[in-house]
Amino acid sequence: MKLNEHMLIWTSASVKLMDVRHTTMTSGDKLPAYRPPANGFLFAIRGSAQIKLDDVEYVVSSMYVLHGGKGMYLDIQLKQERFEYYLILYKADFLLPESPEIRSIMAAGNPLQIQYGYAPLYPLSLYEKLERIAKEWLTQGNLERLHARTLFYQFIYGLIRQLHQQDVRIIRADPAEQALRYLQEHYTEPLTLELLASVLDCSPSHLSRIFKQRTSCSPIEYMIRLRINRAKSLLANTEAALQEIALSIGYTDVYYFSRIFKKQTGQSPLRYRETCHDPLVKQYNPFLMLGSSIVPHKIRRYINKRSDNHYQYIDKGAFHLIRNRKQSTALTLLLSLTLLLSACSGAAYNNSAANSGSASSGAASGNNGQAVAKQPAAASATIMYTGADGEVEIPRNPQRIVLLTHAYVGYFMALGINPVGAPTMTMGNPYYKGKIDDMEDIGAPGAFSSEKIITLDPDLIIAIKGTENLEEISKIAPVVTINYGEKDYKEQLIEFGKLTNRTDKAQQWVDNWEKKIAEYKPQVLQAVGDKTVSVLSQYDKSVYIFGENYGRGTEILYGEFGLKAPPAFDIKLGYADISLEKLPEYVGDYIFTSPDSSKAEDTSPMYTSDMWNALPAVKNNQVFYIDKHSAAFNDPITLEAVLPIIVDSLTSTESRKN
């Protein structure tokens, strides 16, 4: 990072002091390496030490300052008998960026996840500020805390001023490298992507993206590989029970550990241990082959009297029980022939029944007949699917799906699957009319009724990660959780196609959609040209400006057509919450908005204000209203309905002007 960028970032930062420490270490003290819970400055006062921040080492002596970001690896090793220092931990939040330059800097991640170290030319002025900050901080009063914060800003000013004079190199943190090291150190602990991102002070989506670029897998997949590699070592080199091994690598459920181990290696844990120890001898041991992969079982004898039937102790199989092999073989052949003839006669009977009249057909469709005729073998098959909360065993071809979020209903409709249950909000989408007549309303998020879901007899439940009461609901049917927003709508549809064994249908929708976009895009770009487009709505006293992938047609306007937003707003930020007074800075030449009803004057004050009526887009009749009941949806069904509305709005307006 360039120093000018660093100075610019501090102009947008809102700082909160988290802690101020004055520490003295002596030769007998040991400070284990750790990751600070916030950004921080370390200012050395006396003595010297070798300090490591991530992979960079600094030899620190009196009047030396270091800066490190949250989650960086901090290790202090004394070089003298005494080392005294101040440590200031702080948290920085950033207001809505006012300039494209600041937005560009922030797009690369947290701009204060940086490290640098240097000996200031004028350290005493900085030291005096630190002394006063520490004194005010320890006083604990609100006025003193405010003064400490004010002094901290003065400390920052003096620090950056000297940084500028001394041309110090500022190193931006590498979250992917930090995540790799953190996972290697903590893979046995319960970890989620959100927790890992919080430790490293970056967004989950940003961390996931750069981690995949570095390793070609997600952080959670990498953690699983570390765990399984450790489990393989323990299985090969120790006699520890599966329960012990599972717990030691972070799995409390030994059954889940066994399943995920088999998925990663192709073998159960016990089978892997056998092949490691003595693959030739162990291969044919029937008791080890039948051993549970969950807990070891005692050998069960055919007869409890040890004097009878000793074949179970001989490693030659069960044929020792049969005295006469010739007689056994004859009986086996006779039984096989009988089964073959039965199958043939059954097939003939089924064919004749299929060709009989309707009365016969109706009789054949009773409970037993239906189970034979309509239940394909694949319907009862299961697969392992990895959702946001880990691996889940689900039906290969799920038929009765309940959704605990309105966001994904249209995805399954596009795949030809109408969910049997969905939240209340789903029922209001006008573009679902006629498609959800048989769908049950399961209530609002946070108030789902388990009893209601049970009556729907689902074979699969879909939920957004973090949904309440999932532990209870998962007892009804397998639950797959999704990290909302991690994929765009086309990627998400393809993923749901994989989940439901309908990948071809998902790809077909994507291909057809892209043909439509290719047809309409030139018309829209010709009509709009270099003009800008805004998508906004008012909620309470704030105005929300929406960027790409936030429903309300943004996926089409910004994502597919590539239209521009006003310079004050970066569509990649998702959304911005502004006051009504700032509205003129954030509106474009065209506006798409979602009032609370079809008539703007019946809704929020924004639409009746003088400021609104003075906007060029309003005066030029270039404001278009999106139905509020569909505004929060961005699924394939809704997008198909919104696309012609957007195209007609933009092209017909330009036609009227010309």
Side-chain angles (χ1 to χ4, degrees):
M1 176 182 279
K2 298 177 182 178
L3 185 57
N4 286 336
E5 293 178 347
H6 185 58
M7 290 189 287
L8 186 60
I9 281 299
W10 275 106
T11 65
S12 296
S14 175
V15 174
K16 178 181 180 182
L17 284 177
M18 307 299 291
D19 198 6
V20 180
R21 306 174 187 175
H22 181 197
T23 304
T24 301
M25 295 178 62
T26 59
S27 56
D29 296 334
K30 290 185 178 180
L31 180 63
Y34 74 108
R35 297 180 184 274
N39 299 336
F41 289 98
L42 186 150
F43 192 95
I45 303 172
R46 294 186 183 88
S48 65
Q50 182 172 304
I51 298 180
K52 189 174 183 180
L53 274 177
D54 282 348
D55 291 324
V56 182
E57 293 185 356
Y58 300 86
V59 177
V60 175
S61 56
S62 176
M63 299 299 164
Y64 193 98
V65 64
L66 276 173
H67 180 274
K70 177 183 177 181
M72 289 186 177
Y73 182 86
L74 174 64
D75 185 20
I76 302 176
Q77 299 292 331
L78 296 184
K79 291 183 70 68
Q80 294 182 355
E81 292 186 357
R82 178 186 177 90
F83 181 59
E84 185 177 353
Y85 62 92
Y86 279 110
L87 182 64
I88 297 184
L89 299 177
Y90 71 92
K91 178 182 179 182
D93 293 317
F94 296 93
L95 305 177
L96 187 68
E98 298 291 342
S99 72
E101 188 176 0
I102 293 180
R103 291 198 299 272
S104 175
I105 297 170
M106 294 182 66
N110 188 328
L112 290 179
Q113 279 292 97
I114 55 175
Q115 61 167 283
Y116 55 82
Y118 75 109
L121 291 175
Y122 310 102
L124 289 181
S125 62
L126 298 175
Y127 172 70
E128 290 170 359
K129 294 287 190 306
L130 283 174
E131 272 194 320
R132 295 175 66 190
I133 291 170
K135 180 180 178 182
E136 297 286 32
W137 180 261
L138 293 173
T139 305
Q140 296 289 329
N142 289 333
L143 189 60
E144 288 76 14
R145 289 292 174 92
L146 176 61
H147 191 200
R149 184 180 178 187
T150 303
L151 290 167
F152 181 67
Y153 275 111
Q154 295 178 25
F155 172 79
I156 295 297
Y157 168 75
L159 191 76
I160 295 178
R161 185 177 180 181
Q162 295 194 50
L163 273 174
H164 184 62
Q165 293 174 339
Q166 296 179 239
D167 193 25
V168 175
R169 181 179 174 228
I170 299 175
I171 305 170
R172 196 152 196 168
D174 183 351
E177 185 64 34
Q178 289 179 315
L180 278 168
R181 175 173 292 182
Y182 190 88
L183 287 169
Q184 290 163 2
E185 296 170 353
H186 301 274
Y187 68 88
T188 62
E189 301 171 9
L191 286 174
T192 63
L193 179 61
E194 289 74 15
L195 178 61
L196 184 60
S198 174
V199 169
L200 303 178
D201 207 19
C202 60
S203 71
S205 59
H206 178 67
L207 177 60
S208 181
R209 182 173 63 254
I210 62 175
F211 195 92
K212 283 183 179 179
Q213 291 172 353
R214 175 71 63 86
T215 65
S216 299
C217 69
S218 70
I220 300 305
E221 289 170 338
Y222 185 80
M223 178 187 72
I224 291 172
R225 293 177 189 177
L226 291 173
R227 288 178 169 182
I228 297 305
N229 284 339
R230 178 58 178 161
K232 288 165 70 174
S233 174
L234 292 172
L235 287 166
N237 300 311
T238 75
E239 295 298 326
L242 289 191
Q243 182 71 47
E244 293 179 70
I245 293 175
L247 287 173
S248 72
I249 62 171
Y251 293 118
T252 56
D253 185 342
V254 71
Y255 179 57
Y256 177 72
F257 160 64
S258 297
R259 285 193 301 169
I260 205 164
F261 186 95
K262 187 171 183 179
K263 181 182 178 183
Q264 294 287 322
T265 66
Q267 297 176 299
S268 70
L270 287 183
R271 187 63 173 157
Y272 179 84
R273 173 174 274 169
E274 293 165 18
T275 57
C276 287
H277 289 173
D278 198 350
L280 294 177
V281 175
K282 302 285 186 180
Q283 184 176 359
Y284 299 103
N285 188 326
F287 299 110
L288 289 175
M289 290 172 67
L290 294 172
S292 168
S293 63
I294 304 175
V295 292
H297 281 214
K298 294 180 179 179
I299 294 176
R300 301 181 64 181
R301 305 186 185 94
Y302 179 67
I303 295 177
N304 283 331
K305 294 181 180 179
R306 298 184 64 89
S307 60
D308 292 336
N309 295 314
H310 289 273
Y311 77 90
Q312 65 263 32
Y313 304 110
I314 305 174
D315 192 15
K316 293 184 180 179
F319 278 104
H320 284 266
L321 185 63
I322 300 173
R323 305 289 184 184
N324 190 332
R325 289 199 175 203
K326 292 182 180 179
Q327 183 182 4
S328 170
T329 304
L331 288 172
T332 302
L333 290 172
L334 179 61
L335 178 60
S336 300
L337 181 60
T338 303
L339 290 173
L340 179 61
L341 292 173
S342 299
C344 292
S345 63
Y349 171 79
N350 287 340
N351 288 336
S352 65
N355 295 325
S356 62
S358 59
S360 175
S361 176
S365 64
N367 291 340
N368 293 336
Q370 187 180 32
V372 173
K374 294 187 178 180
Q375 184 71 20
S380 61
T382 60
I383 61 171
M384 300 306 298
Y385 182 84
T386 302
D389 286 315
E391 207 173 36
V392 186
E393 186 175 4
I394 65 171
R396 181 180 295 277
N397 296 296
Q399 303 296 315
R400 299 184 60 80
I401 300 176
V402 168
L403 292 167
L404 304 187
T405 170
H406 70 278
Y408 296 136
V409 173
Y411 287 87
F412 289 90
M413 288 181 179
L415 295 173
I417 301 173
N418 272 20
V420 296
T424 302
M425 187 174 175
T426 306
M427 311 304 162
N429 189 335
Y431 306 126
Y432 293 168
K433 190 174 181 180
K435 299 181 177 71
I436 58 174
D437 295 342
D438 297 328
M439 189 182 301
E440 293 287 340
D441 183 347
I442 62 171
F448 295 133
S449 168
S450 298
E451 291 77 11
K452 178 71 172 178
I453 297 174
I454 289 172
T455 63
L456 298 176
D457 190 25
D459 54 13
L460 180 63
I461 298 172
I462 307 294
I464 290 176
K465 182 178 174 63
T467 301
E468 295 181 13
N469 301 323
L470 281 186
E471 184 175 353
E472 178 183 352
I473 293 172
S474 65
K475 297 174 183 177
I476 303 171
V479 176
V480 170
T481 53
I482 311 294
N483 276 321
Y484 182 77
E486 191 172 56
K487 295 177 171 62
D488 67 31
Y489 64 94
K490 287 182 282 191
E491 294 171 333
Q492 190 62 68
L493 181 65
I494 296 295
E495 190 61 34
F496 283 142
K498 296 176 184 177
L499 184 147
T500 58
N501 200 21
R502 300 193 181 203
T503 306
D504 291 345
K505 200 168 185 67
Q507 189 61 55
Q508 182 182 6
W509 186 94
V510 172
D511 293 341
N512 291 337
W513 174 256
E514 291 180 343
K515 288 178 183 177
K516 292 180 183 178
I517 296 299
E519 175 187 352
Y520 289 128
K521 186 173 181 178
Q523 304 172 32
V524 172
L525 293 181
Q526 182 179 0
V528 176
D530 291 332
K531 294 181 180 178
T532 58
V533 179
S534 292
V535 182
L536 56 89
S537 291
Q538 184 174 24
Y539 297 99
D540 296 326
K541 297 180 180 180
S542 297
V543 178
Y544 282 78
I545 313 293
F546 297 99
E548 189 176 352
N549 297 324
Y550 260 80
R552 303 160 181 85
T554 57
E555 293 77 11
I556 299 171
L557 291 165
Y558 298 133
E560 299 293 0
F561 292 158
L563 300 179
K564 297 185 297 185
F569 178 60
D570 184 354
I571 60 173
K572 299 298 183 184
L573 292 178
Y575 71 91
D577 176 3
I578 65 169
S579 63
L580 187 60
E581 291 73 21
K582 287 191 173 184
L583 186 60
E585 302 174 32
Y586 288 87
V587 296
D589 301 301
Y590 298 91
I591 297 174
F592 286 85
T593 186
S594 305
D596 290 337
S597 74
S598 58
K599 296 181 180 179
E601 61 268 22
D602 294 340
T603 60
S604 60
M606 177 178 71
Y607 300 104
T608 58
S609 67
D610 293 338
M611 185 178 297
W612 174 262
N613 291 314
L615 295 173
V618 178
K619 290 181 177 180
N620 294 330
N621 196 28
Q622 292 176 346
V623 177
F624 313 109
Y625 296 96
I626 300 172
D627 185 277
K628 70 166 185 175
H629 296 293
S630 68
F633 293 77
N634 61 357
D635 58 85
I637 300 297
T638 303
L639 290 175
E640 284 181 331
V642 171
L643 176 60
I645 296 173
I646 289 176
V647 172
D648 182 64
S649 298
L650 294 173
T651 56
S652 63
T653 299
E654 196 64 25
S655 299
R656 288 196 300 270
K657 289 183 65 181
N658 293 336

